[in-house]
Amino acid sequence: MAAKSIDERSSSWTFLTHHARVLLEIARNPQTRLRDIAAVIGITERAVQGIVSDLHQEGYLSRSKIGRRNRYTINPDRGFRYPTESNVPIGVLLDIFTRHQRARDTDQTPGS
């Protein structure tokens, strides 16, 4: 039996929430535009705006203006929101995904 593609699967749940995915995209590129995050994740720009607002209000990130663009700074020491993981900093999650991304990018560079 062949493995189903993501689009063919009947279940729509994922391990990471949209909030986590937005935070990861910002970690990968602190000057990314909200419309670019929306396109990568597959949600509306308005939804991304709401998520960034949530993350900012809860102290997970801060925003600063550089010219016409926003630059985001993540607070990696901020703990997860759920009580059983609240003592674990979000930097652990960010490190897992950004380290994996860097390794994958290194493996795909020409001549490697």
Side-chain angles (χ1 to χ4, degrees), residues 14-92:
T14 64
F15 281 105
L16 298 178
T17 65
H18 287 145
H19 280 68
R21 291 183 189 282
V22 167
L23 200 59
L24 286 168
E25 289 304 315
I26 290 171
R28 290 177 179 132
N29 180 2
Q31 290 183 277
T32 191
R33 297 178 305 177
L34 299 185
R35 74 178 65 153
D36 296 332
I37 294 171
V40 169
I41 295 174
I43 61 176
T44 66
E45 187 174 348
R46 179 88 170 157
V48 174
Q49 288 172 341
I51 290 168
V52 167
S53 179
D54 289 346
L55 295 170
H56 180 258
Q57 288 175 0
E58 293 296 321
Y60 288 96
L61 60 80
S62 59
R63 296 179 272 215
S64 58
K65 247 346 187 182
I66 297 179
R68 295 176 49 195
R69 306 234 2 217
N70 285 322
R71 176 169 177 72
Y72 302 96
T73 304
I74 294 174
N75 177 2
D77 298 324
R78 185 82 165 89
F80 284 89
R81 293 188 71 205
Y82 200 74
T84 58
E85 291 89 31
S86 64
N87 64 331
V88 179
I90 62 163
V92 172

